Amino acid sequence: MRLTVTGNFLFKRLLHTEIAGNYAKQQPRNLKGRSKSSQEWLTRQLADPYVEKARMMNYRCRSAFKLLEMDDKYGILRPGDTVLDCGAAPGSWTQVAVERTNANGKQERAPQGAVFSIDLLHFHAVPGATIFGGMDFTSTLAQKRLRESLNGRQVNCVLSDMAPNATGVRMLDQESITNLCYEVLRFAIAMSAPQAHLVVKVWDNGDVPKLESNMLRFYEKVKRVKPRASRGDSAEHFLVARSFKGVPESSSKT
Ligand SMILES: C[S@@+](CC[C@H](N)C(=O)[O-])C[C@H]1O[C@@H](n2cnc3c(N)ncnc32)[C@H](O)[C@@H]1O
């Protein structure tokens, strides 16, 4: 469901009400026997308005609101678009992409899009999307399978919410997520339609400005975004790159 201007207004009001009201003060029960980190997680979930919103709107997780917000602001998903969702499990971005591209054909008068979603994990089907579960996006096999499924079709939007398993070693983790971003960028450059868009998740670190400037070689605009639904205590940001320019002459000769 695309939030209209009125819908957005009501949504903000609801969030405000939830944060200001009793909801934010709810305390989890039956915490006995749980570890401290599990207690903290439960408390945070209960105090988080996006968790309840996701449940009410049938999204598989709260992350849906990050993509909804970025799409509302930058208009990266349109009916009829072909979308690739990398790191898609449990599937809330895929749900949003299916709705907004009309990949499920629910909007009778709008063109029907297509969504291809891949994750290391197996996850439940999302009606309207083609799912590649249990596949590493960075593998040659996965990218071959994606190309075959696209069957010559160019992609209008590539999304990556991929995050590596954190080792706790800051430098290593930063390098891993940056490598994932470059892998996605490479695939997007090869498969994108003119004017296509790309969204990648980064953990704010010293590598991001270089990545940003590399993305700018191929896209008209690149914005660093922290959606409201992204937790304030997380280093997570997104780079939203709009309007794919194609491969510059100089790059294609190298
Ligand atoms: C934050 S979750 C994605 C949540 C998803 N956007 C949603 O809204 O449901 C990050 C996902 O990236 C996946 N991931 C990490 N590295 C990957 C890789 N190399 N190939 C495919 N998926 C990967 C993880 O398995 C994990 O499910």
Side-chain angles (χ1 to χ4, degrees), residues 154-203:
Q154 288 186 311
V155 178
N156 304 104
C157 186
V158 177
L159 305 169
S160 172
D161 194 18
M162 280 193 289
N165 281 332
T167 62
V169 182
R170 205 179 144 85
M171 290 276 283
L172 264 184
D173 293 339
Q174 289 179 348
E175 194 182 321
S176 305
I177 197 163
T178 307
N179 288 343
L180 282 175
C181 292
Y182 277 108
E183 194 69 46
V184 175
L185 175 60
R186 246 191 304 276
F187 194 78
I189 290 167
M191 305 307 290
S192 287
Q195 301 300 311
H197 310 300
L198 166 66
V199 177
V200 291
K201 172 155 80 184
V202 292
W203 289 329

Side-chain angles (χ1 to χ4, degrees), residues 182 207-218 222 239:
Y182 277 108
D207 297 337
V208 177
K210 180 97 189 287
L211 173 63
E212 230 171 316
S213 71
N214 277 321
M215 286 167 79
L216 264 172
R217 292 171 58 195
F218 302 98
V222 178
L239 295 181

